[in-house]
């Protein structure tokens, strides 16, 4: 879906090519309103919600015209990096935790200390957006990475929900195999993911940190053990093969196996429950990830879904700050966006909308509260951390497709990852 207010990527590229000097944040729209550019990524469902929130903000601030620069996930950071490099950065930019150190160290982000009201925000979560004593980013909400289960698919296979306080990776592989075998050939036990967070949690179960004293703290043995679970899933047909999984991953959340009722399990961020529940039309359950034999932790942590940031080059700081403040502190904005970008970190706002949250959001809140005592603090990646997801994905695809051996790929992955954060 594209609205009249959303700038297409081609138009954004054209702006980049014609930009002279700083960004166009200081320009006014043709009707005399202040034009505020706002970049974000996501699904069609997120775009619809965001446009509604923008409309609500504009109604309260009729002198400001917020122009959403929306893109899909794969192209977002490439497009944003091009704009920032060309001094054509959007006034308000959405960033993940892994990109904050890089963008703040390059001087691309404005210091928001004292500029946005953060008094009612979870201060531990807020700290993830702070570097060198300056608040460069405001968290949109919090997430946990969990196992989602499509209950009707599980029931049809004649299987029961596992005990997520004790199940292991072997249990997960065996259950996936049973579910696939019970089906008609078009349904699978699980779909896997190469999300770097999954690897971080897998490593934490083995007592390792992804980042440790300026280096990658995960051992080759742990990386190979992680890849071995994918190999087992493929060999037992608990999941599709590597080629099919690559196709599914590229299609996005709406076309996932769980979303299309073709899979019983899959790992997702908690804020994706609403979209997956809607597109599947099925009852979905959230579980802790399996853990290694003898592990004392599941490796779970509470992480900001993403952050709101403001360009250091904007000529409309006051308007940009007002927009971010609205997104974080206004109950109307929360009532529209709900948990799409994570559960609200503003305690007062969350309390005001808690009883109005739809079933999926209530479910997320209940799950997060049930595992809260087990959650570690989010690890803030160093400069170069934004490259990790691509590095992990590329070598994981090479191993599962048989292009590289696990030994060779693990060595290369660590070399490239360490070089990324050293540079």
């Amino acid at each position: 879906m594209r609205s009249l207010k959303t700038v297409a990527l081609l138009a954004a590229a054209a702006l980049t090519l014609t930009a002279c000097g700083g960004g166009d944040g200081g320009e006014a729209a043709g009707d005399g309103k202040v034009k505020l550019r706002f970049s974000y990524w996501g699904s069609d469902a997120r775009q619809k919600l965001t446009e509604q929130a923008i409309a609500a903000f504009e109604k309260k601030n009729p002198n400001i015209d917020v122009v959403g620069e929306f893109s899909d996930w794969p192209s977002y950071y490439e497009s944003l990096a091009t704009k920032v490099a060309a001094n054509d950065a959007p006034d308000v930019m959405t960033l993940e935790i892994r990109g904050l150190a890089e963008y703040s160290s390059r001087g691309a982000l404005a210091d928001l200390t004292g500029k946005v009201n953060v008094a009612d925000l979870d201060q531990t979560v807020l700290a993830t957006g702070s570097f060198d004593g300056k608040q460069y980013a405001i968290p949109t909400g919090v997430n946990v990475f969990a196992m989602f289960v499509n209950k009707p698919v599980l029931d049809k296979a004649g299987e029961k929900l596992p005990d997520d306080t004790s199940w292991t990776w072997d249990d997960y592989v065996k259950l996936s195999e049973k579910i696939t075998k019970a089906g008609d050939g078009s349904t699978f036990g699980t779909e896997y993911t190469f999300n770097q967070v999954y690897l971080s949690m897998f490593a934490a179960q083995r007592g390792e940190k992804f980042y440790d004293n300026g280096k990658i703290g995960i051992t080759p043995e742990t990386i190979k053990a992680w890849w071995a679970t994918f190999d087992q899933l493929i060999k037992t047909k608990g999941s599709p093969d590597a080629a099919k999984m690559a196709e599914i991953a590229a299609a996005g959340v709406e076309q996932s196996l769980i979303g299309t009722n073709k899979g019983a399990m899959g790992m997702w961020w908690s804020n994706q429950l609403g979209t997956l529940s809607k597109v599947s039309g099925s009852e979905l359950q959230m579980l802790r990830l399996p853990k290694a034999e003898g592990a004392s932790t599941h490796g779970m942590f509470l992480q900001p879904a993403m952050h709101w940031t403001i360009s250091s080059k904007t000529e409309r700081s006051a308007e940009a700050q007002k927009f971010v403040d609205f997104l974080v502190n206004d109950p109307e904005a929360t009532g529209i966006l709900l948990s799409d970008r994570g559960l609200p970190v503003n305690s007062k706002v969350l309390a005001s909308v808690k009883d109005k949250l739809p079933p999926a959001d209530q479910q997320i809140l209940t799950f997060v509260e049930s595992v809260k005592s087990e959650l570690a603090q989010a690890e803030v990646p160093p400069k170069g951390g934004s490259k990790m997801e691509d590095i992990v994905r590329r070598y994981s695809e090479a191993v599962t497709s048989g292009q590289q051996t696990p030994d060779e790929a693990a060595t290369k992955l660590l070399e490239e990852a360490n070089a990324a954060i050293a540079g």
Side-chain angles (χ1 to χ4, degrees):
M1 188 273 289
R2 292 290 186 275
S3 75
L4 293 177
K5 289 179 57 57
T6 300
V7 177
L9 288 179
L10 287 176
L15 281 170
T16 301
L17 291 173
T18 58
C20 296
D24 66 353
E27 293 182 4
D31 55 7
K33 296 181 180 181
V34 174
K35 184 174 76 171
L36 202 64
R37 294 168 54 208
F38 167 45
S39 67
Y40 67 101
W41 73 86
S43 62
D44 288 346
R46 173 173 294 162
Q47 187 184 15
K48 291 176 182 178
L49 292 175
T50 304
E51 292 289 355
Q52 290 174 32
I54 289 173
F57 173 78
E58 291 176 337
K59 187 174 181 180
K60 293 184 175 183
N61 299 274
N63 64 314
I64 303 175
D65 181 27
V66 179
V67 181
E69 297 185 5
F70 170 81
S71 79
D72 59 10
W73 167 244
S75 62
Y76 180 77
Y77 277 107
E78 181 179 354
S79 174
L80 183 63
T82 299
K83 295 172 187 177
V84 171
N87 284 327
D88 190 43
D91 302 287
V92 178
M93 301 177 288
T94 311
L95 291 177
E96 288 182 298
I97 192 171
R98 62 195 177 99
L100 293 181
E102 185 170 344
Y103 275 84
S104 62
S105 66
R106 289 164 53 187
L109 306 181
D111 179 10
L112 302 182
T113 306
K115 305 298 184 182
V116 176
N117 182 9
V118 296
D120 297 321
L121 272 58
D122 183 312
Q123 298 301 298
T124 300
V125 178
L126 179 65
T128 62
S130 179
F131 297 90
D132 298 325
K134 296 180 179 180
Q135 192 73 44
Y136 289 107
I138 310 296
T140 65
V142 287
N143 273 342
V144 292
F145 198 66
M147 183 72 74
F148 286 14
V149 179
N150 188 312
K151 193 67 165 48
V153 176
L154 185 74
D155 292 343
K156 188 175 181 181
E159 298 295 334
K160 296 181 179 180
L161 282 172
D163 178 357
D164 68 342
T165 63
S166 61
W167 69 327
T168 66
W169 294 109
D170 285 342
D171 295 333
Y172 166 59
V173 171
K174 290 174 182 177
L175 178 58
S176 298
E177 180 183 9
K178 289 180 181 178
I179 295 169
T180 300
K181 286 183 176 179
D184 59 6
S186 64
T187 303
F188 291 89
T190 194
E191 54 194 316
Y192 58 76
T193 176
F194 297 138
N195 195 311
Q196 177 209 334
V197 171
Y198 173 18
L199 175 56
S200 295
M201 294 173 65
F202 187 89
Q205 296 177 5
R206 299 162 70 99
E208 298 174 6
K209 296 180 180 180
F210 197 96
Y211 301 105
D212 195 5
N213 293 320
K215 294 183 179 180
I216 302 298
I218 301 178
T219 61
E221 290 72 28
T222 290
I223 297 172
K224 289 186 286 185
W226 186 58
W227 283 333
T229 62
F230 304 134
D231 183 59
Q232 292 167 357
L233 287 170
I234 293 171
K235 285 181 177 178
T236 60
K237 300 189 185 304
S239 73
D241 59 26
K244 183 63 176 178
M245 272 310 311
E247 178 184 327
I248 293 169
V253 60
E254 287 93 346
Q255 296 303 312
S256 64
L257 292 184
I258 280 188
T260 56
N261 296 302
K262 295 296 184 181
M265 296 183 287
M267 298 175 202
W268 299 91
W269 285 108
S270 55
N271 68 307
Q272 294 172 303
L273 180 66
T275 296
L276 284 165
S277 296
K278 184 176 181 180
V279 298
S280 68
S282 298
E283 176 192 352
L284 304 183
Q285 296 286 334
M286 297 176 66
L287 304 177
R288 298 171 176 84
L289 263 60
K291 61 182 179 182
E293 290 279 1
S296 60
T297 176
H298 289 270
M300 299 175 71
F301 55 89
L302 196 63
Q303 174 164 300
M306 52 196 82
H307 289 80
W308 306 126
T309 68
I310 295 177
S311 170
S312 61
K313 305 294 186 182
T314 183
E315 296 177 15
R316 290 299 186 221
S317 295
E319 290 82 2
Q321 292 162 14
K322 183 176 287 189
F323 182 53
V324 171
D325 191 273
F326 169 79
L327 294 171
V328 174
N329 294 314
D330 196 308
E332 184 177 5
T334 301
I336 296 170
L337 298 174
L338 301 172
S339 70
D340 181 67
R341 289 175 171 88
L343 286 173
V345 291
N346 183 314
S347 57
K348 290 184 178 179
V349 167
L350 179 58
S352 71
V353 301
K354 186 175 181 179
D355 294 337
K356 303 173 185 176
L357 293 174
D361 288 39
Q362 295 280 5
Q363 187 178 347
I364 296 168
L365 184 58
T366 299
F367 179 77
V368 170
E369 290 179 344
S370 72
V371 300
K372 199 167 186 177
S373 63
E374 306 169 34
L375 300 176
Q377 187 172 346
E379 188 176 32
V380 181
K383 184 178 178 181
S386 60
K387 300 176 182 178
M388 293 305 143
E389 183 167 316
D390 177 65
I391 292 172
V392 171
R393 178 189 54 77
R394 280 191 286 106
Y395 286 104
S396 297
E397 288 178 345
V399 169
T400 54
S401 64
Q403 297 173 18
Q404 282 185 305
T405 66
D407 284 335
E408 177 188 7
T411 299
K412 294 289 187 181
L413 185 156
L414 288 172
E415 287 178 355
E416 186 173 344
N418 274 308
I421 61 176

